[in-house]
Amino acid sequence: KVDLKALQKIAPSVAKAAGALQRAQTKMDRINSDSLLVPLRSPVALIQSKVDGAQSAANSSNIAAKLLPAMLGAKSTRHYLLLIQNNAEVRSTGGISGSYAILKAKQGKLSMGFQGSIQDLKPFAKPVVPRTKEEQGIFPPTLVTDIRDANSTPDFPRTGQITAAMVAKGLKQHVDGVISVDPVAMSYILAGTGPVILKKGVAIDQTNAVQLLLNTVYRFYQNPTVQDDVFKLVARKVFNEVKSGRADSRSVISGMVQAANQNRLLIWSAHANEQKLIATTGVSGIFMGNDGSTPHVGLYLGDAASTKMEYYLNYSTRLVSTGCLSGKVQELSTTTDLSSSAPTDATKLPDSVTGDGTFTKRGTMRLILRFFAPYHGGFTDVRVDGKRQTVYADPLYGRNATKVFLVLKPGQTRTVTTSMISGKGQGGDAIFSTTPGVQNTANDVQVPSACK
């Protein structure tokens, strides 16, 4: 149980500290350390860095102090949908949400209630919410009918709205928000809890969580019901261990921070006043549209064959600003390398991993890659292994998307390159965001501008 009265008591002091540090940061930002005498440059730059870090921490604490009492049920009982994304079947924000639970918060006390899977929330015959015209051009109809595809969009607040509507209609359960994690995030948190006993002789810890949940379960248990039972057991055991208070709280929080930095821990609130504050934080999962002078570039992946083969997928993207045109329009390019570490005899893996061969040959991956250009920008060239591809221009929140379909065989590496331009006035450092995969994935990476 969280002591909400203690949290409310310290909130004014936290707000005061955040305000003071914000004013200090504003003053420090006016100083160009490079223009100072050489002996002063390093000390001043160091102080600026420390003030920036302190202000960021204080601001986050201030937002948390404002949000937590209400979100943890200080005034009324809250219910949240907990989505556990499965990166082995990749989607834009991580993976399919085939496993979920309902969390309850009352006067600071957290508990886990109903746990379910796709067996309990089957696809709907009609959309639970209408697809926008832009969504119709980019995402499949199942975005708003199947919980496994509700995060085909890279915009987590939209996923929150859709999945909340799904549980309201399919489970008759109102939720006040949606929280998402994945097995990689759970492994970071397990660094603080230590091993969690699942049953006699079987434990999950930070070293085996990802393999167990994203691969071993499917290789050893062919029955979907048994697979779901394993996911339910793990979710409840880890949740209970974290809330028990026995864990090293600093390590648990550190794990959550690491998960948030990689966009593996996401939160959406159905309450507009709360969501407005969450939107300013790193756990919002917002797909950025117009962000002033900052050009945002994104790559989001999806499994197009209903497999769990992305457990074997390795990918990385390098974004570079290659030029600055008139009006502070940047020329940008990406190079994405994708490789499969699947065994050469991957066809011997069970159908629960490879799929039944309907959409792609068993043992291969069939992926859809959605690249997004900066706001009011667009793509000029797209190539796969050097071969020019069709360039699409489907907009989402003012950013054009182009898509690439890719088949990846065991042991194969393929390269996708894109060239694009930003919108006018976007001369700041670029930000690259992507789907968090099975591997440790850097996210929201800042890239130096060619306009500076």
Side-chain angles (χ1 to χ4, degrees):
K1 184 176 180 179
V2 177
D3 189 340
L4 298 183
K5 289 184 178 179
L7 193 61
Q8 291 167 327
K9 185 177 180 180
I10 68 168
S13 297
V14 174
K16 186 177 181 180
L21 284 163
Q22 178 61 64
R23 291 189 294 273
Q25 184 186 45
T26 300
K27 291 179 179 179
M28 294 297 294
D29 285 347
R30 295 173 186 157
I31 302 171
N32 180 3
S33 60
D34 290 337
S35 67
L36 301 175
L37 295 173
V38 173
L40 296 176
R41 291 177 186 175
S42 180
V44 170
L46 178 62
I47 293 172
Q48 288 175 322
S49 175
K50 288 184 177 295
V51 170
D52 287 347
Q55 191 281 328
S56 177
N59 186 57
S60 297
S61 300
N62 188 31
I63 292 172
K66 290 178 180 179
L67 286 172
L68 285 175
M71 293 187 74
L72 291 176
K75 295 181 180 179
S76 61
T77 301
R78 293 291 190 92
H79 294 89
Y80 298 96
L81 173 64
L82 173 66
L83 298 176
I84 302 176
Q85 297 195 33
N86 187 325
N87 317 78
E89 187 170 344
V90 72
R91 292 292 187 274
S92 290
T93 60
I96 63 165
S97 299
S99 180
Y100 53 86
I102 302 298
L103 303 182
K104 178 181 176 182
K106 183 177 182 180
Q107 291 297 318
K109 185 178 181 180
L110 287 167
S111 58
M112 180 180 285
F114 175 78
Q115 292 179 270
S117 68
I118 190 63
Q119 308 301 323
D120 307 291
L121 195 62
K122 295 185 182 298
F124 297 89
K126 296 181 179 180
V128 295
V129 295
R131 269 192 309 162
T132 66
K133 186 176 180 180
E134 289 185 340
E135 289 171 344
Q136 291 174 26
I138 302 177
F139 308 116
T142 48
L143 171 74
V144 291
T145 61
D146 192 328
I147 193 170
R148 294 170 296 186
D149 287 339
N151 60 333
S152 294
T153 172
D155 187 47
F156 186 72
R158 180 58 170 161
T159 296
Q161 295 168 355
I162 295 169
T163 53
M166 286 179 173
V167 298
K169 186 173 183 178
L171 302 179
K172 309 304 180 186
Q173 172 68 64
H174 166 78
V175 294
D176 295 281
V178 179
I179 303 168
S180 177
V181 296
D182 65 12
V184 181
M186 292 174 70
S187 74
Y188 298 157
I189 293 168
L190 284 164
T193 66
V196 174
I197 305 300
L198 301 180
K199 61 180 183 179
K200 188 176 181 180
V202 180
I204 185 171
D205 60 32
Q206 67 181 112
T207 66
N208 68 4
V210 175
Q211 181 177 7
L212 172 66
L213 296 173
L214 298 184
N215 188 251
T216 303
V217 168
Y218 297 103
R219 295 184 66 174
F220 284 89
Y221 301 110
Q222 303 307 301
N223 188 327
T225 301
V226 177
Q227 295 168 358
D228 292 340
D229 288 343
V230 173
F231 297 138
K232 291 176 183 178
L233 177 65
V234 170
R236 187 170 291 273
K237 289 280 189 177
V238 174
F239 177 81
N240 287 341
E241 187 64 26
V242 171
K243 78 179 186 113
S244 71
R246 293 188 296 266
D248 180 345
S249 60
R250 285 181 178 270
S251 295
V252 170
I253 292 172
S254 178
M256 289 182 176
V257 170
Q258 185 177 4
N261 287 340
Q262 296 180 7
N263 294 346
R264 301 182 188 278
L265 173 61
L266 304 171
I267 300 172
W268 169 79
S269 174
H271 300 264
N273 61 323
E274 295 173 359
Q275 179 58 25
K276 186 177 180 179
L277 286 174
I278 291 172
T280 65
T281 73
V283 295
S284 68
I286 287 177
F287 177 79
M288 291 300 301
N290 184 9
D291 191 19
S293 64
T294 302
H296 288 263
V297 177
L299 163 60
Y300 303 97
L301 289 78
D303 179 291
S306 297
T307 77
K308 299 296 183 294
M309 286 298 296
E310 281 79 64
Y311 173 76
Y312 301 104
L313 175 64
N314 301 300
Y315 58 92
S316 63
T317 299
R318 187 169 66 96
L319 171 66
V320 178
S321 177
T322 57
C324 184
L325 306 177
S326 175
K328 290 191 175 180
V329 172
Q330 290 193 61
E331 295 178 309
L332 301 153
S333 67
T334 65
T335 301
T336 303
D337 295 314
L338 306 98
S339 63
S340 170
S341 62
T344 54
D345 58 349
T347 54
K348 295 181 180 179
L349 293 170
D351 287 359
S352 57
V353 176
T354 66
D356 60 10
T358 300
F359 302 105
T360 191
K361 183 179 178 181
R362 292 180 68 251
T364 66
M365 303 177 205
R366 186 168 186 262
L367 304 168
I368 178 170
L369 282 63
R370 296 184 179 95
F371 291 89
F372 286 87
Y375 183 74
H376 281 182
F379 291 92
T380 57
D381 188 73
V382 179
R383 299 176 187 245
V384 176
D385 298 330
K387 296 182 180 179
R388 185 167 290 167
Q389 307 292 303
T390 300
V391 176
Y392 298 90
D394 297 313
L396 182 68
Y397 305 162
R399 293 173 59 185
N400 283 325
T402 190
K403 59 189 175 183
V404 173
F405 284 98
L406 202 68
V407 173
L408 200 59
K409 301 175 182 177
Q412 186 179 23
T413 296
R414 307 198 67 180
T415 300
V416 181
T417 58
T418 71
S419 299
M420 70 198 83
I421 57 172
S422 73
K424 290 184 178 179
Q426 295 181 19
D429 290 345
I431 300 291
F432 175 75
S433 305
T434 190
T435 298
V438 174
Q439 308 298 323
N440 192 316
T441 310
N443 225 320
D444 300 333
V445 177
Q446 185 170 319
V447 176
S449 168
C451 291
K452 291 185 177 180

